[in-house]
Amino acid sequence: MLRRFIGHYHTIVPHLLRSFVVDYRRERITTPDDDFLDLDWMHHPASRRLVILSHGLEGDSTKVYIASAAHFFHRQGYNVLAWNCRSCSGEMNRTRKLYSHGQSEDLQTVVDHAVATGNFDRIVLVGYSMGGNLTLKYLGTVGRDRPAQVTHGVAFSAPCFIQHSVDSLERRDNWIYKRKFFRALAAKIAAKEAQYPGIVDLSQLDQIRVWRDFDRAFSMVIGGYSDLDDFYAYLSSGHYVADTTAPVLIVNALNDPIVPPACTPRALGRTHPLITVEEPRGGGHVGFALRGKTHNRMDERALAFIQS
């Protein structure tokens, strides 16, 4: 019980006690399916290095963990690109699709755009929670077709096998996260139904109490799937990341209340020459605070890994 309390403390408190104002420059790009993605940049004119930051579920480029990394890497001489998933930049996206843990093709669009500028010799990918999962899935799916400029991937608090994270939300002590995600996603589902009438049955919202039922009624349908297990397999980077051709670091805290140990691909960490898995005892979910520092342990660990 104490371990769970500490996990919640490590998750919640760092986000309450820290704040950042980030001076981004926004760019909007078009996806291959005629949707849009909003990219937030911090340029470092003298540098040809870039870090691409991917946020978590219902996050965006202003979240504390993203803003912390943006400031930290910019001070280290990196250009920063913090991209926003579809519907997460303050404006509902155009297509029937929203975003998901498995939609790594959007990250591929972002990476390809950065490569096409010709401004960067080295690009590293750092993702958090869902964004970590997207980072890992992207590297696994592109495999040997990875752009040469993309050298490393780092994922923190990544639910590599999403079904275990979904089930962890049903723990009684996780009610605060479940309620937050449910309310935010329910609002987006309703907005998407207004755009595309008949896409889902909104009358089911009031009856749903279990997250798997929410995914079955809404997330799976909007994602174009008819079977929940198939949908979860599509979402789970643990089924793809073994095909990475770039070094990968996965850091999942053992006291993470949302991402249990079953989400972590431990076997790959033991056997795959390019995959490093670390499971620190503390850190919570995308917490990893450092006492007396403006940045956090994730920032320091990501930098150390990509420079090793």
Side-chain angles (χ1 to χ4, degrees):
M1 203 65 179
L2 177 61
R3 180 174 172 179
R4 286 190 177 183
F5 171 81
I6 295 173
H8 294 306
Y9 181 86
H10 285 175
T11 299
I12 296 171
V13 172
H15 300 273
L16 297 178
L17 297 183
R18 303 167 70 220
S19 63
F20 294 88
V21 177
V22 186
D23 186 20
Y24 289 128
R25 181 185 66 81
R26 175 154 290 186
E27 178 187 16
R28 177 166 289 186
I29 64 173
T30 302
T31 64
D33 61 342
D34 198 33
D35 210 332
F36 66 88
L37 296 172
D38 285 333
L39 318 184
D40 290 328
W41 292 86
M42 291 178 71
H43 289 292
H44 202 296
S47 175
R48 293 186 60 82
R49 297 179 297 172
L50 172 69
V51 59
I52 297 179
L53 304 175
S54 300
H55 65 75
L57 184 68
E58 281 305 283
D60 57 56
S61 63
T62 68
K63 292 301 180 184
V64 167
Y65 56 91
I66 295 289
S68 172
H71 276 284
F72 180 81
F73 277 97
H74 196 254
R75 289 197 304 269
Q76 305 300 321
Y78 282 81
N79 295 276
V80 176
L81 194 175
W83 70 289
N84 300 273
C85 291
R86 302 182 191 216
S87 80
C88 292
S89 58
E91 180 181 340
M92 183 53 64
N93 66 306
R94 292 193 291 258
T95 60
R96 166 183 165 134
K97 288 195 298 185
L98 280 167
Y99 68 94
S100 75
H101 282 73
Q103 206 160 298
S104 60
E105 60 266 30
D106 283 350
L107 176 54
Q108 182 167 357
T109 297
V110 172
V111 172
D112 289 347
H113 175 74
V115 170
T117 67
N119 294 331
F120 311 109
D121 298 327
R122 189 175 189 220
I123 299 173
V124 297
L125 312 178
V126 183
Y128 306 84
S129 192
M130 180 192 75
N133 190 73
L134 289 172
T135 297
L136 300 175
K137 186 178 178 187
Y138 163 76
L139 288 171
T141 53
V142 297
R144 297 187 180 280
D145 294 325
R146 168 180 56 88
Q149 295 91 335
V150 177
T151 63
H152 293 75
V154 183
F156 295 99
S157 305
C160 301
F161 299 103
I162 194 68
Q163 69 273 19
H164 302 301
S165 184
V166 167
D167 292 340
S168 76
L169 286 174
E170 305 305 330
R171 276 180 16 201
R172 184 175 300 179
D173 59 304
N174 276 343
W175 66 271
I176 188 171
Y177 314 115
K178 181 180 176 181
R179 184 177 70 173
K180 174 187 174 184
F181 291 144
F182 184 89
R183 287 181 173 179
L185 289 173
K188 286 191 174 177
I189 295 293
K192 193 55 65 178
E193 169 65 18
Q195 278 184 305
Y196 294 90
I199 189 174
V200 292
D201 180 6
L202 286 181
S203 67
Q204 298 181 69
L205 267 177
D206 292 337
Q207 286 76 48
I208 287 176
R209 298 291 181 270
V210 177
W211 199 269
R212 280 180 177 257
D213 292 339
F214 181 89
D215 282 342
R216 189 175 286 109
F218 302 114
S219 309
M220 178 184 81
V221 175
I222 288 179
Y225 279 78
S226 58
D227 181 86
L228 190 61
D229 289 337
D230 288 345
F231 181 58
Y232 285 163
Y234 159 75
L235 299 181
S236 299
S237 64
H239 299 307
Y240 301 88
V241 69
D243 289 327
T244 182
T245 57
V248 162
L249 171 67
I250 303 169
V251 182
N252 287 352
L254 290 174
N255 69 347
D256 188 323
I258 301 174
V259 177
C263 281
T264 304
R266 289 169 164 170
L268 287 178
R270 291 191 298 267
T271 61
H272 199 293
L274 292 175
I275 297 177
T276 301
V277 173
E278 296 177 357
E279 295 183 282
R281 294 182 63 185
H285 188 75
V286 197
F288 297 95
L290 276 173
R291 186 184 298 273
K293 301 286 188 179
T294 58
H295 59 274
N296 57 48
R297 280 192 283 152
M298 295 182 290
D299 302 334
E300 288 190 354
R301 185 65 190 98
L303 182 66
F305 181 74
I306 65 179
Q307 291 184 337
S308 61

